[in-house]
Amino acid sequence: MAGISYFDCNVSIGRPKSGVYRPCPTAGELLAEMDWVGVDQALVHHALMRGQSPVVGNQVLVEEIAGEERLVGSWAILPPQTRELPQGEDFFTAMAQAGVRALWAFPMEHRYLLNRLTFGPFLDQVAERRIPLFIPRNAGGTDPVATWQLVSQLLAEYPKLTLVLAAHGPWGEDRYFRPLLERYPRFYLDISRYELDGGLGELVSLYGAERLLYGSNFPANAMGGPRMMLARAEISEEARRAIAGDNLRRLLQEVQL
Amino acid sequence: MIDSPIAREFLETGRCQSCPIIDMHAHYGPFSGIYMPNHTPEQMLATLDRCGVELIVSSGHTALEDVVRGNAEMLSITERYPGRWYAYLVYNPHYPAEGQAQLEEYDRHPTLVGLKFHPSMHAYPLTGEAYRPALEFAAARRLIVLTHTWGDSPYNGPEHLAQVAERYPEVTFLAGHSCHGEFQKCMEVARKYPNVYLELTAAYAVRGLIEQMVETVGAHKIVFGCDLPWFDPHYAIGCVVMAHISDGARRAILRENALRILEGRRRV
Ligand SMILES: [Zn+2]
């Protein structure tokens, strides 16, 4: 696998209050695990961005990964109406200053509706600036139907949004997401829990390798599983290289802040 | 990077010559809530070859729904692959007459090594009276029982597992998914009862769990499985071989424990 550089799109650090069997509190521990399994870079968010508030967590994330060249930061968003985060242009300027190039939305934890009514022109800006927006599997609730309905609705309202569904669960959810891959060229999947035997090969042959991003959902999940799965998937070396890291690198390069 | 020769070999070739895998928790066929690209026998065999899996033990998806049709189907498929593919007979407590007839009919079937219970799916507790005939049958023949287990379940949590393990010491219980979500209690059960093993399907994905199991229960009490044709064995293998454990523990989990459990129970 020489020459393939892995860039994990979905890892977090911090001390979540519950729900994670063995958390990863620090960037140092994250980097050690990346070294262990052979992963070069990671797009990171912080547990406080989700479990507490982006007002606190976004800043903590920046501090925790400062100076770590292999780690790229991401921030969480909140509805503009409550004015808790910098508004409009200021938000994107702050992202640029902090070296942050991707966003997360946690509508369940932060109790809002992720839709056009709430986010209006802000998400138009996110789409235009090609900033990837990540949402977790529970974005619409614990029932997968609710999350896929949310994704379906959000993409109908913002068809140009670069949207990544993270860690969608070990049950193959192809019957939900394949129509979305067909319709929306800026919709992406993090493959961290896409464990379906033969699944990756089929998705690559149907939709191309561009739509898939390597991820681990660490530390909730072990890094070794997706790392071995992608290393051995029955796809071309070109597709493997794209999924492993080049797709995410391309997405982050396209971001205009 | 990881210094294990086993991990390196899997990463580089997809297989490990010195450690072919024994998969104790597999299925077969399509299933209601999931699309599976590779569910035919030929496709499953190709996956086993690709991943260096020497042998699997399956319960059919059809059998989980319809024991009469499904168990017969599963056994007839395994017969075609002697030494490579073995079967669990699914016992559904809602169909005691059919179950009894099948236990008698397939008693000496060459590829049968045990029974499969799925108390959650069948919405009936593992400790319930209706499982008794099957458990007595398994005890008399010292069979393996792979039972689905899950945390916080009214049907198959760690307490249910402990009760049947205590009552039937002759049966070797594999705790499918290791009571996912109530791992600590499941580990206590596996430590207390010599006839209870932790099975890794889905549980392997939880970071740090395999290390904890090895430390508190011991690598000798853990067996490998990945619900094939659901999950790519390489995902599960990656979780085991890249866990922070010794190569000795990796071998025990991937192969040796299962071989020991199957010893004397295989007729072909
Ligand atoms: Zn299963």
Side-chain angles (χ1 to χ4, degrees):
Chain A
M1 253 19 82
I4 292 193
S5 171
Y6 286 76
F7 191 161
D8 191 328
C9 77
N10 179 14
V11 303
S12 68
I13 53 174
R15 299 174 187 83
K17 59 190 168 297
S18 67
V20 175
Y21 189 78
R22 196 172 132 210
C24 175
T26 65
E29 186 174 335
L30 168 63
L31 287 162
E33 190 65 10
M34 287 163 61
D35 288 339
W36 179 251
V37 303
V39 167
D40 298 310
Q41 291 173 275
L43 183 66
V44 192
H45 59 287
H46 197 282
L48 285 170
M49 288 162 53
R50 184 174 189 168
Q52 220 286 31
S53 164
V55 174
V56 175
N58 288 354
Q59 193 49 43
V60 171
L61 186 271
V62 172
E63 289 162 15
E64 291 284 329
I65 67 168
E68 300 295 354
E69 286 182 359
R70 296 163 63 194
L71 305 180
V72 179
S74 59
W75 275 355
I77 58 171
L78 287 172
Q81 292 80 4
T82 51
R83 311 185 75 81
E84 295 162 89
L85 296 171
Q87 297 294 291
E89 201 63 28
D90 291 349
F91 184 80
F92 301 110
T93 306
M95 278 180 75
Q97 281 167 355
V100 167
R101 299 184 77 78
L103 296 171
W104 278 84
F106 301 109
M108 274 296 279
E109 290 82 352
H110 302 149
R111 293 165 54 85
Y112 59 77
L113 298 177
L114 181 57
N115 59 18
R116 182 170 277 284
L117 177 70
T118 304
F119 284 94
F122 176 78
L123 282 187
D124 285 324
Q125 274 291 305
V126 170
E128 200 153 303
R129 291 164 181 274
R130 299 194 152 228
I131 301 167
L133 177 68
F134 286 72
I135 58 171
R137 161 62 180 286
N138 76 340
T142 46
D143 180 355
V145 179
T147 291
W148 290 114
Q149 269 168 351
L150 180 149
V151 172
S152 186
Q153 172 87 24
L154 188 64
L155 286 169
E157 292 179 341
Y158 295 100
K160 291 182 178 154
L161 186 65
T162 305
L163 188 70
V164 185
L165 200 287
H168 65 74
W171 279 51
E173 296 188 349
D174 298 63
R175 292 169 187 157
Y176 291 118
F177 67 66
R178 287 191 183 194
L180 296 163
L181 286 172
E182 278 173 11
R183 174 69 69 88
Y184 299 104
R186 302 289 295 175
F187 176 60
Y188 294 80
L189 287 174
D190 149 32
I191 64 161
S192 59
R193 298 305 308 281
Y194 189 62
E195 297 172 41
L196 190 67
D197 185 44
L200 280 180
E202 223 181 82
L203 287 190
V204 168
S205 69
L206 287 170
Y207 307 105
E210 316 66 66
R211 315 294 290 284
L212 306 172
L213 305 179
Y214 173 74
S216 66
N217 201 38
F218 179 88
N221 296 118
M223 280 190 188
R227 180 65 176 80
M228 181 70 76
M229 177 174 71
L230 184 56
R232 301 312 317 167
E234 290 183 295
I235 53 177
S236 69
E237 287 308 287
E238 196 188 351
R240 196 180 330 276
R241 183 170 290 108
I243 298 169
D246 286 359
N247 289 342
L248 181 58
R249 288 187 189 95
R250 189 188 68 241
L251 287 183
L252 297 178
Q253 260 161 24
E254 284 173 6
V255 173
Q256 295 159 18
L257 291 172
Chain B
M1 203 176 154
I2 189 162
D3 50 7
S4 150
I6 294 179
R8 298 297 321 175
E9 195 177 337
F10 272 113
L11 269 171
E12 282 157 21
T13 70
R15 299 176 271 266
C16 180
Q17 293 281 342
S18 68
C19 188
I21 287 171
I22 312 292
D23 182 335
M24 295 300 286
H25 184 167
H27 298 284
Y28 158 74
F31 190 65
S32 57
I34 178 171
Y35 161 68
M36 288 182 288
N38 291 340
H39 64 65
T40 70
E42 295 73 23
Q43 288 170 319
M44 286 179 64
L45 261 291
T47 293
L48 303 188
D49 290 340
R50 183 170 71 84
C51 302
V53 181
E54 177 180 312
L55 173 168
I56 56 170
V57 190
S58 287
S59 57
H61 286 134
T62 308
L64 289 167
E65 183 68 25
D66 175 340
V67 282
V68 172
R69 197 172 272 276
N71 279 327
E73 173 193 65
M74 189 73 252
L75 287 166
S76 81
I77 287 167
T78 55
E79 280 168 23
R80 285 152 51 188
Y81 306 97
R84 186 96 203 258
W85 205 341
Y86 293 85
Y88 296 112
L89 193 79
V90 175
Y91 188 87
N92 182 337
H94 300 301
Y95 293 88
E98 290 87 341
Q100 193 58 46
Q102 288 195 322
L103 290 174
E104 284 162 25
E105 180 182 355
Y106 299 126
D107 189 5
R108 303 289 303 165
H109 192 281
T111 63
L112 190 75
V113 296
L115 309 182
K116 162 83 179 187
F117 297 169
H118 205 311
S120 279
M121 191 181 285
H122 294 145
Y124 187 89
L126 178 58
T127 48
E129 188 57 22
Y131 273 119
R132 196 160 58 89
L135 283 163
E136 285 175 356
F137 179 91
R141 288 154 185 80
R142 309 185 74 84
L143 292 178
I144 304 163
V145 170
L146 168 62
T147 178
H148 180 87
T149 63
W150 209 261
D152 302 309
S153 161
Y155 306 115
N156 41 216
E159 288 83 9
H160 302 91
L161 179 64
Q163 271 190 49
V164 291
E166 170 98 38
R167 227 180 288 160
Y168 301 96
E170 309 85 354
V171 175
T172 297
F173 289 96
L174 309 184
H177 315 290
S178 300
C179 302
H180 201 290
E182 275 194 283
F183 296 119
Q184 203 56 44
K185 281 189 185 164
C186 198
M187 286 187 256
E188 283 162 26
V189 176
R191 196 166 47 183
K192 179 169 177 191
Y193 296 99
N195 58 330
V196 173
Y197 287 78
L198 302 166
E199 187 279 322
L200 287 180
T201 300
Y204 48 65
V206 176
R207 185 231 179 180
L209 180 63
I210 292 173
E211 289 88 340
Q212 191 66 50
M213 287 174 166
V214 169
E215 196 178 310
T216 62
V217 185
H220 65 293
K221 292 298 289 290
I222 307 169
V223 295
F224 179 88
C226 64
D227 260 345
L228 200 71
W230 294 52
F231 304 135
D232 184 341
H234 277 140
Y235 187 104
I237 292 166
C239 292
V240 175
V241 300
M242 296 204 215
H244 298 264
I245 55 178
S246 68
D247 262 3
R250 293 184 181 104
R251 274 180 211 288
I253 295 168
L254 293 172
R255 176 175 179 81
E256 291 163 359
N257 299 335
L259 282 181
R260 201 174 61 243
I261 290 166
L262 285 166
E263 209 174 288
R265 295 186 168 104
R266 285 194 280 170
R267 297 195 184 88
V268 287

